Amino acid sequence: FNVKEGLPTAYVVRARIPAADLRRLGLPDAVEIEGAVAATAELAGRGVQIARGTVEADLSGAAVGLPLLAWRKAPGEPGMLSAEVATGDGGLRPGRFRVSMPALEIAGSLSFDDAGAFAAADLAPFRVGDTDATVAVRQPAERPVEIAISGRQIDLRPFLE
């Protein structure tokens, strides 16, 4: 091992995180959440420098909503999130992830630019309600967001009501 870089370290953190703290940790405004989430993070690195890890969260105790997609989960219904994280400017950033709840399954990866701003998302599967699709989102610098949706079935009813 390299003493200058620090000894290899591993951390396991278990916490019950209230919705307000999830916002402070970067939960997007497009996600509504009420209640607390039980989470476990397994992180590795050298010394106090975290390089990578995994996060698993039990969402069953919280109400979760995606108003843009007219989808909602009540507290007590099952829900899980798992994600890989890696170090980036300003802290840990998600990479590959999976979210599973009633009538919702989304998996994929997120990427960020060198400044830490969202750059892209590739989501497959993207199943919400009656939609069964693949979604690609790109945020080019200084340009509008680009969204490509393709799939077996796309339910547009939430957007037409």
Side-chain angles (χ1 to χ4, degrees):
F1 63 84
N2 183 336
V3 175
K4 286 184 179 180
E5 292 179 9
L7 296 172
T9 53
Y11 301 92
V12 176
V13 179
R14 290 183 178 85
R16 190 162 172 75
I17 307 170
D21 291 340
L22 291 171
R23 287 272 174 244
R24 286 195 272 293
L25 290 170
L27 183 71
D29 290 338
V31 178
E32 291 180 347
I33 190 159
E34 298 170 13
V37 170
T40 300
E42 296 183 6
L43 308 168
R46 291 195 164 275
V48 295
Q49 300 299 315
I50 303 300
R52 67 196 169 288
T54 59
V55 175
E56 295 204 359
D58 178 355
L59 306 171
S60 61
V64 181
L66 299 173
L68 182 63
L69 301 174
W71 178 89
R72 187 154 181 85
K73 177 195 91 60
E77 292 182 313
M80 288 297 297
L81 173 137
S82 60
E84 297 172 357
V85 294
T87 303
D89 291 337
L92 292 174
R93 292 200 193 118
R96 297 206 51 76
F97 71 94
R98 176 173 295 278
V99 180
S100 297
M101 293 184 257
L104 181 141
E105 182 176 4
I106 301 172
S109 62
L110 303 174
S111 59
F112 301 85
D113 66 19
D114 292 339
F118 171 80
D122 292 298
L123 310 174
F126 183 89
R127 296 185 191 114
V128 180
D130 290 331
T131 293
D132 184 359
T134 297
V135 177
V137 181
R138 302 289 178 266
Q139 176 61 70
E142 311 284 327
R143 294 187 28 219
V145 173
E146 300 169 0
I147 302 172
I149 303 171
S150 62
R152 188 178 64 78
Q153 179 171 310
I154 299 171
D155 182 5
L156 296 176
R157 286 177 293 185
F159 303 102
L160 301 174
E161 295 175 353

Coordinates of all heavy atoms in Angstrom, one line a residue, residues 14-100:
R14 N -25.5 3.7 8.0 CA -26.9 3.4 8.0 C -27.6 4.6 8.6 O -27.2 5.0 9.7 CB -27.2 2.1 8.7 CG -26.7 0.9 8.1 CD -27.1 -0.4 8.8 NE -26.7 -1.6 8.1 CZ -25.4 -2.1 8.2 NH1 -24.6 -1.5 9.0 NH2 -25.1 -3.2 7.5
A15 N -28.7 5.1 7.9 CA -29.4 6.2 8.4 C -30.8 6.2 8.0 O -31.2 5.6 7.0 CB -28.7 7.5 7.9
R16 N -31.6 6.9 8.8 CA -33.0 7.2 8.5 C -33.1 8.6 8.1 O -32.8 9.5 8.9 CB -33.9 6.9 9.7 CG -35.4 6.9 9.4 CD -36.1 6.1 10.5 NE -37.5 6.3 10.3 CZ -38.3 5.7 9.4 NH1 -37.7 4.8 8.6 NH2 -39.5 5.9 9.3
I17 N -33.4 8.9 6.8 CA -33.2 10.3 6.3 C -34.6 10.9 6.1 O -35.3 10.5 5.2 CB -32.4 10.3 5.0 CG1 -31.1 9.5 5.2 CG2 -32.1 11.7 4.5 CD1 -30.3 9.2 4.0
P18 N -34.9 12.0 6.8 CA -36.1 12.7 6.5 C -36.1 13.4 5.1 O -35.1 13.7 4.6 CB -36.2 13.8 7.6 CG -35.1 13.5 8.6 CD -34.1 12.6 7.9
A19 N -37.3 13.6 4.6 CA -37.5 14.2 3.3 C -36.8 15.5 3.1 O -36.1 15.7 2.1 CB -39.0 14.4 3.0
A20 N -36.8 16.4 4.1 CA -36.1 17.7 4.0 C -34.6 17.5 3.8 O -34.0 18.2 3.1 CB -36.4 18.5 5.3
D21 N -34.0 16.5 4.5 CA -32.6 16.2 4.3 C -32.3 15.6 2.9 O -31.2 15.9 2.4 CB -32.1 15.3 5.4 CG -32.0 16.0 6.8 OD1 -32.1 17.3 6.8 OD2 -32.0 15.3 7.8
L22 N -33.2 14.9 2.4 CA -33.0 14.3 1.0 C -32.9 15.5 0.0 O -32.2 15.4 -0.9 CB -34.2 13.4 0.6 CG -34.2 12.1 1.4 CD1 -35.5 11.3 1.1 CD2 -33.0 11.2 1.1
R23 N -33.7 16.5 0.2 CA -33.6 17.7 -0.6 C -32.2 18.3 -0.5 O -31.6 18.7 -1.5 CB -34.6 18.8 -0.2 CG -36.0 18.4 -0.6 CD -36.4 18.9 -2.0 NE -37.7 18.4 -2.3 CZ -38.0 17.5 -3.2 NH1 -37.0 17.1 -4.0 NH2 -39.2 17.1 -3.4
R24 N -31.7 18.5 0.7 CA -30.4 19.1 0.9 C -29.3 18.2 0.2 O -28.2 18.7 -0.1 CB -30.1 19.3 2.4 CG -30.9 20.4 2.9 CD -30.4 20.9 4.3 NE -30.9 20.2 5.5 CZ -32.2 20.3 5.9 NH1 -33.0 21.0 5.2 NH2 -32.6 19.7 7.0
L25 N -29.6 16.9 0.1 CA -28.6 16.0 -0.5 C -28.7 15.9 -2.0 O -28.0 15.2 -2.7 CB -28.8 14.5 0.1 CG -28.4 14.4 1.5 CD1 -28.8 13.0 2.0 CD2 -26.8 14.5 1.6
G26 N -29.7 16.7 -2.6 CA -29.8 16.8 -4.0 C -30.9 16.1 -4.7 O -31.0 16.0 -5.9
L27 N -32.0 15.7 -3.9 CA -33.1 15.1 -4.5 C -33.8 16.1 -5.5 O -34.1 17.2 -5.1 CB -34.1 14.7 -3.5 CG -35.4 14.0 -4.0 CD1 -35.0 12.6 -4.5 CD2 -36.4 13.9 -2.9
P28 N -34.0 15.8 -6.7 CA -34.6 16.7 -7.7 C -36.0 17.2 -7.3 O -36.8 16.5 -6.7 CB -34.6 15.9 -9.0 CG -33.8 14.7 -8.8 CD -33.8 14.5 -7.3
D29 N -36.3 18.4 -7.7 CA -37.6 19.0 -7.4 C -38.8 18.2 -8.1 O -39.9 18.3 -7.6 CB -37.7 20.4 -7.8 CG -36.8 21.3 -6.9 OD1 -36.5 20.9 -5.8 OD2 -36.5 22.4 -7.4
A30 N -38.5 17.5 -9.1 CA -39.5 16.7 -9.9 C -40.0 15.5 -9.1 O -41.0 14.9 -9.4 CB -38.9 16.2 -11.2
V31 N -39.3 15.2 -8.0 CA -39.7 14.1 -7.1 C -40.3 14.7 -5.8 O -39.7 15.4 -5.1 CB -38.5 13.2 -6.7 CG1 -38.9 12.1 -5.8 CG2 -37.8 12.6 -8.0
E32 N -41.6 14.3 -5.6 CA -42.2 14.6 -4.3 C -42.0 13.5 -3.3 O -42.1 12.3 -3.7 CB -43.7 14.8 -4.5 CG -44.1 16.1 -5.3 CD -45.6 16.2 -5.4 OE1 -46.3 15.3 -5.1 OE2 -46.0 17.3 -5.9
I33 N -41.6 13.8 -2.1 CA -41.4 12.8 -1.0 C -41.9 13.3 0.3 O -41.6 14.5 0.6 CB -40.0 12.3 -1.0 CG1 -39.9 11.1 -0.1 CG2 -39.0 13.4 -0.6 CD1 -38.7 10.2 -0.4
E34 N -42.6 12.5 1.0 CA -43.0 12.8 2.4 C -42.7 11.6 3.3 O -42.9 10.5 2.9 CB -44.5 13.0 2.4 CG -45.0 14.2 1.6 CD -46.5 14.2 1.5 OE1 -47.2 13.5 2.2 OE2 -47.0 15.0 0.6
G35 N -42.1 11.9 4.4 CA -41.7 10.8 5.3 C -40.2 10.6 5.3 O -39.5 11.4 4.7
A36 N -39.7 9.6 5.9 CA -38.3 9.3 5.9 C -38.0 8.0 5.1 O -38.8 7.2 4.9 CB -37.9 9.1 7.4
V37 N -36.7 7.9 4.8 CA -36.2 6.8 4.0 C -35.1 6.2 4.8 O -34.2 6.9 5.3 CB -35.7 7.3 2.6 CG1 -34.9 6.3 1.9 CG2 -36.8 7.9 1.8
A38 N -35.1 4.8 4.9 CA -34.0 4.1 5.5 C -33.0 3.8 4.4 O -33.3 3.2 3.4 CB -34.5 2.8 6.1
A39 N -31.7 4.2 4.7 CA -30.7 4.0 3.6 C -29.4 3.4 4.2 O -29.1 3.6 5.4 CB -30.3 5.4 3.0
T40 N -28.7 2.7 3.4 CA -27.4 2.1 3.7 C -26.4 2.5 2.6 O -26.7 2.3 1.4 CB -27.5 0.6 3.9 OG1 -28.4 0.3 4.9 CG2 -26.1 0.0 4.2
A41 N -25.3 3.1 3.0 CA -24.3 3.4 2.0 C -23.0 2.6 2.4 O -22.6 2.6 3.6 CB -24.0 4.9 2.1
E42 N -22.4 2.0 1.4 CA -21.2 1.3 1.6 C -20.2 2.0 0.7 O -20.3 2.0 -0.5 CB -21.3 -0.2 1.2 CG -22.2 -0.9 2.2 CD -22.3 -2.4 1.9 OE1 -21.6 -3.0 1.0 OE2 -23.2 -3.1 2.5
L43 N -19.2 2.6 1.3 CA -18.3 3.5 0.6 C -16.8 3.0 0.8 O -16.5 2.5 1.9 CB -18.4 4.9 1.2 CG -19.8 5.5 1.2 CD1 -19.9 6.7 2.0 CD2 -20.3 5.7 -0.2
A44 N -16.0 3.2 -0.2 CA -14.6 2.8 -0.1 C -13.7 3.9 -0.7 O -14.1 4.7 -1.5 CB -14.4 1.5 -0.9
G45 N -12.5 3.9 -0.2 CA -11.5 4.9 -0.7 C -10.2 4.7 0.0 O -9.8 3.6 0.4
R46 N -9.4 5.8 0.2 CA -8.2 5.8 0.9 C -8.2 6.9 1.9 O -8.5 8.0 1.6 CB -7.0 6.0 0.0 CG -6.8 4.8 -1.0 CD -5.4 4.9 -1.6 NE -5.0 3.7 -2.2 CZ -4.4 2.7 -1.6 NH1 -4.1 2.8 -0.3 NH2 -4.1 1.5 -2.2
G47 N -7.9 6.5 3.2 CA -8.0 7.5 4.2 C -9.4 8.0 4.3 O -10.4 7.3 4.3
V48 N -9.6 9.3 4.4 CA -10.9 9.9 4.4 C -11.4 10.3 3.1 O -12.5 10.9 2.9 CB -11.0 11.2 5.4 CG1 -10.7 10.8 6.8 CG2 -10.0 12.2 4.9
Q49 N -10.7 10.0 2.0 CA -11.1 10.3 0.6 C -11.9 9.2 0.1 O -11.4 8.1 -0.2 CB -9.9 10.5 -0.3 CG -9.0 11.7 0.2 CD -9.7 13.0 0.2 OE1 -10.4 13.3 -0.8 NE2 -9.5 13.8 1.2
I50 N -13.2 9.4 -0.1 CA -14.1 8.4 -0.6 C -14.0 8.4 -2.2 O -14.1 9.5 -2.8 CB -15.6 8.7 -0.2 CG1 -15.7 8.7 1.3 CG2 -16.5 7.6 -0.8 CD1 -15.3 7.5 2.0
A51 N -13.9 7.2 -2.8 CA -13.7 7.1 -4.2 C -15.0 6.6 -4.9 O -15.3 7.0 -6.0 CB -12.5 6.3 -4.6
R52 N -15.6 5.6 -4.2 CA -16.8 4.9 -4.9 C -17.6 4.3 -3.8 O -17.2 4.1 -2.6 CB -16.3 3.9 -5.9 CG -15.6 2.8 -5.2 CD -14.7 1.9 -6.2 NE -13.9 1.0 -5.5 CZ -12.8 1.3 -4.8 NH1 -12.4 2.6 -4.7 NH2 -12.1 0.4 -4.1
G53 N -18.8 3.8 -4.2 CA -19.6 3.0 -3.3 C -20.9 2.7 -3.8 O -21.2 2.9 -5.0
T54 N -21.8 2.1 -3.0 CA -23.1 1.8 -3.3 C -24.1 2.4 -2.3 O -23.7 2.5 -1.1 CB -23.4 0.3 -3.4 OG1 -23.1 -0.3 -2.2 CG2 -22.5 -0.3 -4.5
V55 N -25.3 2.7 -2.7 CA -26.3 3.2 -1.8 C -27.6 2.3 -2.0 O -27.9 2.1 -3.2 CB -26.6 4.7 -2.0 CG1 -27.8 5.1 -1.1 CG2 -25.4 5.5 -1.8
E56 N -28.2 1.9 -1.0 CA -29.5 1.2 -1.1 C -30.5 1.9 -0.1 O -30.1 2.2 1.0 CB -29.4 -0.3 -0.7 CG -28.5 -1.0 -1.7 CD -28.8 -2.5 -1.8 OE1 -29.7 -2.9 -1.1 OE2 -28.2 -3.1 -2.6
A57 N -31.7 2.2 -0.6 CA -32.7 2.9 0.2 C -34.0 2.1 0.2 O -34.4 1.7 -0.9 CB -32.8 4.3 -0.3
D58 N -34.6 2.0 1.3 CA -35.9 1.4 1.4 C -36.9 2.5 1.5 O -36.9 3.3 2.4 CB -36.0 0.6 2.7 CG -37.4 -0.1 3.0 OD1 -38.3 0.2 2.2 OD2 -37.5 -0.8 4.0
L59 N -37.7 2.6 0.4 CA -38.6 3.7 0.3 C -40.0 3.4 0.8 O -41.0 4.2 0.6 CB -38.7 4.1 -1.2 CG -37.4 4.5 -1.9 CD1 -37.5 4.6 -3.4 CD2 -36.7 5.7 -1.3
S60 N -40.2 2.2 1.4 CA -41.5 1.8 1.8 C -42.2 2.7 2.8 O -43.4 2.7 2.9 CB -41.5 0.3 2.2 OG -40.7 0.2 3.4
G61 N -41.4 3.3 3.7 CA -42.0 4.2 4.7 C -42.4 5.6 4.2 O -43.0 6.3 5.0
A62 N -42.1 5.9 3.0 CA -42.4 7.3 2.5 C -43.4 7.3 1.4 O -43.6 6.3 0.7 CB -41.1 7.8 1.9
A63 N -44.1 8.4 1.3 CA -45.0 8.7 0.1 C -44.0 9.3 -0.9 O -43.3 10.2 -0.6 CB -46.1 9.6 0.5
V64 N -44.1 8.8 -2.2 CA -43.3 9.3 -3.2 C -44.1 9.6 -4.4 O -45.1 8.8 -4.8 CB -42.2 8.2 -3.6 CG1 -41.3 8.7 -4.8 CG2 -41.4 7.8 -2.4
G65 N -43.9 10.7 -5.1 CA -44.7 11.1 -6.2 C -43.9 11.7 -7.3 O -42.8 12.3 -7.1
L66 N -44.3 11.4 -8.6 CA -43.7 12.1 -9.8 C -44.9 12.8 -10.5 O -45.5 12.2 -11.3 CB -43.1 11.0 -10.7 CG -42.0 10.2 -10.1 CD1 -41.6 9.1 -11.1 CD2 -40.8 11.1 -9.8
P67 N -45.2 14.0 -10.1 CA -46.4 14.7 -10.6 C -46.4 14.8 -12.1 O -47.4 14.7 -12.8 CB -46.3 16.1 -9.9 CG -45.5 15.9 -8.7 CD -44.5 14.8 -9.0
L68 N -45.2 15.0 -12.7 CA -45.1 15.2 -14.2 C -45.6 13.9 -14.9 O -46.2 14.0 -16.0 CB -43.6 15.4 -14.6 CG -43.4 15.7 -16.1 CD1 -44.1 16.9 -16.5 CD2 -41.9 15.8 -16.3
L69 N -45.5 12.8 -14.2 CA -45.9 11.5 -14.8 C -47.2 11.0 -14.2 O -47.6 9.9 -14.5 CB -44.8 10.5 -14.7 CG -43.5 10.8 -15.3 CD1 -42.4 9.8 -15.0 CD2 -43.6 11.0 -16.8
A70 N -47.9 11.8 -13.4 CA -49.1 11.4 -12.7 C -49.0 10.1 -12.0 O -49.8 9.2 -12.1 CB -50.3 11.4 -13.7
W71 N -47.9 9.9 -11.3 CA -47.6 8.7 -10.5 C -47.4 9.0 -9.1 O -46.7 10.0 -8.8 CB -46.4 8.0 -11.1 CG -46.1 6.7 -10.4 CD1 -46.5 5.5 -10.7 CD2 -45.2 6.6 -9.3 NE1 -46.0 4.6 -9.7 CE2 -45.2 5.3 -8.9 CE3 -44.4 7.5 -8.5 CZ2 -44.5 4.8 -7.8 CZ3 -43.7 7.0 -7.5 CH2 -43.8 5.7 -7.1
R72 N -47.9 8.1 -8.2 CA -47.7 8.3 -6.7 C -47.7 6.9 -6.0 O -48.4 6.0 -6.4 CB -48.8 9.2 -6.2 CG -48.6 9.6 -4.7 CD -49.3 10.9 -4.4 NE -49.1 11.3 -3.1 CZ -48.0 11.9 -2.6 NH1 -47.1 12.3 -3.4 NH2 -47.9 12.3 -1.4
K73 N -46.8 6.8 -5.0 CA -46.8 5.7 -4.1 C -47.1 6.1 -2.7 O -46.6 7.1 -2.2 CB -45.4 5.1 -4.1 CG -45.2 3.9 -3.2 CD -43.8 3.5 -3.0 CE -43.1 4.2 -1.8 NZ -43.7 4.0 -0.5
A74 N -48.0 5.4 -2.1 CA -48.4 5.7 -0.7 C -47.4 5.1 0.3 O -46.7 4.1 0.0 CB -49.8 5.2 -0.4
P75 N -47.3 5.7 1.5 CA -46.5 5.1 2.5 C -47.0 3.7 2.8 O -48.2 3.5 2.8 CB -46.6 6.0 3.7 CG -47.5 7.1 3.3 CD -48.0 6.9 2.0
G76 N -46.1 2.8 3.1 CA -46.5 1.4 3.4 C -46.4 0.5 2.1 O -46.3 -0.7 2.2
E77 N -46.4 1.1 0.9 CA -46.2 0.3 -0.3 C -44.7 0.1 -0.5 O -43.9 1.0 -0.1 CB -46.8 1.0 -1.5 CG -48.3 1.1 -1.5 CD -48.9 1.8 -2.7 OE1 -48.4 2.8 -3.1 OE2 -49.9 1.2 -3.3
P78 N -44.4 -1.0 -1.1 CA -42.9 -1.3 -1.2 C -42.2 -0.3 -2.2 O -42.9 0.2 -3.1 CB -42.9 -2.7 -1.8 CG -44.2 -2.9 -2.5 CD -45.2 -2.1 -1.7
G79 N -40.9 -0.1 -1.9 CA -40.1 0.7 -2.8 C -38.7 0.6 -2.5 O -38.3 0.6 -1.3
M80 N -37.8 0.4 -3.5 CA -36.4 0.3 -3.3 C -35.7 1.1 -4.3 O -36.1 1.3 -5.4 CB -36.0 -1.2 -3.4 CG -36.4 -2.1 -2.3 SD -35.7 -1.7 -0.7 CE -33.9 -1.9 -1.0
L81 N -34.5 1.6 -3.9 CA -33.6 2.3 -4.8 C -32.2 1.8 -4.5 O -31.8 1.6 -3.3 CB -33.6 3.8 -4.5 CG -32.6 4.6 -5.3 CD1 -33.2 5.9 -5.8 CD2 -31.4 5.0 -4.4
S82 N -31.5 1.5 -5.6 CA -30.1 1.1 -5.4 C -29.3 1.9 -6.4 O -29.8 2.2 -7.5 CB -29.9 -0.4 -5.6 OG -30.3 -0.7 -6.9
A83 N -28.1 2.4 -6.0 CA -27.3 3.2 -6.9 C -25.8 3.0 -6.6 O -25.4 2.7 -5.5 CB -27.6 4.7 -6.7
E84 N -25.0 3.1 -7.7 CA -23.6 3.2 -7.6 C -23.2 4.7 -7.5 O -23.9 5.5 -8.2 CB -22.9 2.6 -8.8 CG -23.2 1.1 -8.9 CD -22.7 0.5 -10.2 OE1 -22.1 1.3 -11.1 OE2 -22.8 -0.7 -10.5
V85 N -22.2 5.0 -6.7 CA -21.8 6.4 -6.6 C -20.3 6.5 -6.8 O -19.6 5.5 -6.5 CB -22.2 7.0 -5.3 CG1 -23.7 7.2 -5.1 CG2 -21.6 6.3 -4.1
A86 N -19.8 7.6 -7.3 CA -18.4 7.8 -7.4 C -18.1 9.3 -7.1 O -19.0 10.1 -7.2 CB -17.9 7.5 -8.9
T87 N -16.9 9.5 -6.8 CA -16.4 10.9 -6.4 C -16.4 11.8 -7.6 O -15.9 11.4 -8.7 CB -15.1 10.9 -5.7 OG1 -15.1 10.0 -4.6 CG2 -14.6 12.2 -5.3
G88 N -16.9 13.0 -7.4 CA -16.9 14.0 -8.4 C -16.6 15.3 -7.7 O -16.6 15.4 -6.5
D89 N -16.5 16.4 -8.5 CA -16.4 17.7 -7.8 C -17.6 18.0 -6.9 O -18.7 17.8 -7.4 CB -16.3 18.8 -8.9 CG -15.0 18.8 -9.7 OD1 -14.0 18.2 -9.2 OD2 -14.9 19.3 -10.8
G90 N -17.3 18.4 -5.7 CA -18.4 18.7 -4.8 C -19.0 17.5 -4.1 O -20.0 17.7 -3.4
G91 N -18.5 16.3 -4.3 CA -19.0 15.2 -3.5 C -19.3 14.0 -4.3 O -18.8 13.9 -5.5
L92 N -20.1 13.1 -3.8 CA -20.4 11.8 -4.5 C -21.5 12.1 -5.5 O -22.5 12.9 -5.2 CB -20.9 10.8 -3.5 CG -19.8 10.2 -2.6 CD1 -20.4 9.3 -1.5 CD2 -18.7 9.5 -3.3
R93 N -21.5 11.4 -6.7 CA -22.5 11.6 -7.7 C -23.0 10.2 -8.1 O -22.2 9.2 -8.1 CB -21.9 12.2 -8.9 CG -21.5 13.6 -8.8 CD -21.4 14.3 -10.1 NE -20.8 15.5 -9.9 CZ -19.6 15.9 -10.5 NH1 -19.0 15.0 -11.3 NH2 -19.1 17.0 -10.3
P94 N -24.3 10.1 -8.3 CA -24.8 8.8 -8.8 C -24.3 8.4 -10.2 O -24.1 9.3 -11.0 CB -26.3 9.0 -8.7 CG -26.5 10.4 -8.9 CD -25.3 11.1 -8.3
G95 N -24.2 7.1 -10.4 CA -23.9 6.6 -11.7 C -25.1 5.7 -12.2 O -26.2 6.2 -12.4
R96 N -24.9 4.4 -12.1 CA -25.9 3.4 -12.5 C -26.9 3.4 -11.3 O -26.5 3.4 -10.1 CB -25.4 2.1 -12.8 CG -24.5 2.1 -14.0 CD -24.4 0.8 -14.7 NE -25.6 0.2 -15.0 CZ -26.5 0.5 -16.0 NH1 -26.2 1.5 -16.8 NH2 -27.6 -0.2 -16.2
F97 N -28.2 3.2 -11.6 CA -29.2 3.1 -10.5 C -30.4 2.3 -10.9 O -30.6 2.0 -12.1 CB -29.6 4.5 -10.1 CG -30.5 5.2 -11.1 CD1 -31.9 5.1 -11.1 CD2 -29.9 5.9 -12.2 CE1 -32.6 5.7 -12.0 CE2 -30.7 6.5 -13.1 CZ -32.0 6.4 -13.1
R98 N -31.2 1.9 -10.0 CA -32.5 1.2 -10.2 C -33.4 1.6 -9.1 O -33.1 1.7 -8.0 CB -32.3 -0.3 -10.2 CG -33.6 -1.1 -10.3 CD -33.4 -2.6 -10.5 NE -32.7 -2.9 -11.7 CZ -33.2 -3.0 -12.9 NH1 -34.5 -2.8 -13.1 NH2 -32.5 -3.3 -13.9
V99 N -34.7 2.0 -9.6 CA -35.8 2.3 -8.6 C -36.9 1.4 -9.0 O -37.3 1.3 -10.1 CB -36.2 3.8 -8.8 CG1 -37.3 4.1 -7.8 CG2 -35.1 4.7 -8.6
S100 N -37.4 0.7 -7.9 CA -38.6 -0.2 -8.1 C -39.6 0.1 -7.1 O -39.4 0.1 -5.9 CB -38.1 -1.7 -8.0 OG -37.2 -2.0 -8.9

